[in-house]
Amino acid sequence: MNIVLGVSGGIAAYKAPELVRRLRDAGADVRVILTPNAARFVSPLSLAAVSNHGVIVEQWGDAGHGGVDHIELARWAELLFIAPATANVIAKLTAGIADDALTTYALAHRAELVIAPAMNTFMLAHPTVQQNIETLRARGAGIIEPVNGLLACGEEGAGKMPDVPLLVEHIRGHFASRDLDGKSVLVTAGPTREPLDPVRYLSNRSSGKMGYALAEAARRRGANVTLVTGPTALPAPAGVALTRVTTAAEMHAAVLAAAPHHQIVIKAAAVADFAAANVADQKIKKSESSDELTLRLVKNPDILADVARVSPRPFIVAFAAETEAVEEQARAKLQRKGADLIVANDVADRTIGFDSDQNEALVIAKDGEVTRLAKAGKLAIANRVLDIVVGRLAR
Ligand code: CTP
């Protein structure tokens, strides 16, 4: 894989040499372009050493060596990866401004673009920045979402560039083989919300990240992907048919309507098991007379069990979120649900699972084969799960 790595002037630029190293370990050939500001954070010399190529900083080159042949570079590149991408470079990419070597190259670049925005929380939340990121996403750019953490400015919040291994995983995904070409994959994601009255609902802590990662990974591997999602804070993944639902009943209807047209169904959603027997028309008032309130709940339909009865029956991947005896519970659930594969998570472990960017899982197949997936980013876990699905379908 031929990668042009663009580094713009944020503090996270200090990670660039490590990033180049790891990308090369992953088999990439990397050419680096620095913005003049990035060159204040990280030395072109060290990047030249780790990439084994000259590093471009000056738009017009130095007098002795001529200008940057960005057209030649664009013929070579399969991916332009900008990490970190500052608010400034994101704005220039959006507007088509070409006032340095990186942004000039970006206009000549014809292959895929992936950016890893990194900046102060409030800058990231600024409507202009958000709008620019959405514009790039709509044009097909891959966005590696910044993570929460302590930022260089001392503030705590979103805006941090993910660690190098996560970035590399993401980039690997871009070069994944297209082994799901011609296949259609239905993924469910997120929690469901079961209303109690016009202002309250029952739900769970699912963020939807695992399901969205599966949808994105399947799409990159060539599948036609439908994503049925409960309410999440995540941006819609590009190139995926999206159906938004709120309740388990709505998810049930959407999934059963779509399932017959899909060869693979992956049920990553955390469906609420119960819904209120009666949804109050008006806000439930705190009663003056009693200190207790009894809610009567009724069981929601089991979507997965109904998908297993669809004809032609798709290949079914279930998920199991457990807090104890994970393997045992997951095995029983696999049998009970009639799925082909179950991906089990230990949700008692706060460093993985719900709302985390990382996951660790146990994948159990119908014939009893167990694969342990070590802790990794959710996109990497998604790809490992799809590897197993592809392997099983080929049997
Ligand atoms: N699931 C479903 N419909 C439901 C409940 C769950 O399709 N009404 C799916 C989930 O999407 C997941 C799998 O079933 O793929 C297991 O979900 P989980 O909540 O762990 O299992 P339950 O069947 O609810 O079992 P339990 O509550 O006993 O853990």
Side-chain angles (χ1 to χ4, degrees):
M1 42 189 175
N2 293 344
I3 301 176
V4 172
L5 175 67
V7 182
S8 61
I11 180 71
Y14 81 88
K15 293 184 181 173
E18 174 72 6
L19 180 56
V20 171
R21 255 231 153 89
R22 298 297 158 234
L23 286 170
R24 291 192 67 198
D25 288 347
D29 193 1
V30 185
R31 310 273 176 126
V32 183
I33 308 180
L34 292 179
T35 64
N37 277 335
R40 297 162 68 171
F41 286 100
V42 59
S43 117
L45 200 61
S46 51
L47 285 163
V50 288
S51 69
N52 211 17
H53 292 294
V55 167
I56 302 161
V57 185
E58 294 303 324
Q59 186 168 15
W60 307 111
D62 57 78
H65 295 89
V68 175
D69 195 348
H70 48 279
I71 305 298
E72 191 54 44
L73 196 57
R75 277 194 200 110
W76 170 87
E78 294 167 90
L79 173 73
L80 169 59
F81 179 31
I82 304 184
T86 57
N88 186 42
V89 89
I90 290 169
K92 288 191 207 169
L93 292 174
T94 313
I97 293 171
D99 65 351
D100 58 25
L102 176 58
T103 48
T104 302
Y105 173 74
L107 286 184
H109 179 76
R110 282 165 292 166
E112 276 193 85
L113 167 68
V114 174
I115 62 168
M119 65 198 75
N120 163 277
T121 307
F122 296 107
M123 291 174 77
L124 180 66
H126 194 286
T128 309
V129 174
Q130 283 300 314
Q131 199 171 15
N132 288 340
I133 291 176
E134 288 320 308
T135 301
L136 293 177
R137 195 195 310 275
R139 286 183 203 155
I143 313 289
I144 303 184
E145 299 296 336
V147 294
N148 282 309
L150 185 62
L151 304 172
C153 53
E155 221 120 30
E156 178 126 23
K160 216 175 144 66
M161 189 168 82
D163 286 340
V164 167
L166 271 167
L167 296 178
V168 173
E169 244 169 61
H170 200 101
I171 298 307
R172 266 180 190 276
H174 270 267
F175 293 94
S177 64
R178 296 182 62 87
D179 51 8
L180 286 172
D181 245 338
K183 292 267 191 304
S184 50
V185 179
L186 171 64
V187 181
T188 70
T192 63
R193 270 183 199 170
E194 312 301 328
L196 300 176
D197 70 13
V199 295
R200 302 185 178 94
Y201 56 80
L202 291 176
S203 192
N204 58 64
R205 292 182 43 231
S206 167
S207 65
K209 285 177 184 166
M210 193 61 231
Y212 279 58
L214 279 156
E216 178 155 0
R219 199 252 321 153
R220 285 190 198 163
R221 292 166 80 142
N224 287 319
V225 180
T226 305
L227 177 62
V228 177
T229 176
T232 72
L234 303 173
V240 163
L242 191 75
T243 305
R244 293 185 195 276
V245 297
T246 306
T247 63
E250 288 168 14
M251 186 173 277
H252 183 263
V255 169
L256 281 154
H261 315 293
H262 292 79
Q263 288 131 351
I264 302 166
V265 174
I266 306 180
K267 293 241 50 217
V271 183
D273 289 330
F274 292 92
N278 299 297
V279 180
D281 290 338
Q282 306 298 332
K283 187 178 166 200
I284 300 170
K285 289 297 200 186
K286 176 164 74 230
S287 151
E288 298 294 327
S289 54
S290 165
D291 285 342
E292 286 182 12
L293 170 72
T294 305
L295 285 175
R296 204 162 65 80
L297 303 178
V298 289
K299 231 186 208 158
N300 274 326
D302 192 321
I303 307 173
L304 218 150
D306 287 345
V307 170
R309 286 192 275 271
V310 162
S311 167
R313 184 186 178 284
F315 185 93
I316 302 172
V317 182
F319 271 70
E322 307 294 347
T323 53
E324 56 177 356
V326 178
E327 183 165 348
E328 200 183 309
Q329 303 261 20
R331 272 185 201 285
K333 205 167 274 183
L334 176 69
Q335 296 303 330
R336 199 165 68 234
K337 299 255 176 186
D340 296 286
L341 213 62
I342 194 157
V343 182
N345 298 129
D346 181 352
V347 287
D349 182 344
R350 288 299 184 92
T351 65
I352 56 166
F354 283 146
D355 208 29
S356 157
D357 292 306
Q358 299 224 308
N359 207 351
E360 173 181 301
L362 207 60
V363 184
I364 308 172
K366 206 160 56 177
D367 60 13
E369 192 177 52
V370 178
T371 315
R372 258 167 228 284
L373 307 184
K375 194 184 283 188
K378 286 189 170 169
L379 197 60
I381 295 285
N383 273 308
R384 293 296 316 279
V385 171
L386 292 177
D387 289 344
I388 297 171
V389 172
V390 168
R392 296 241 143 212
L393 284 174
R395 285 188 187 185

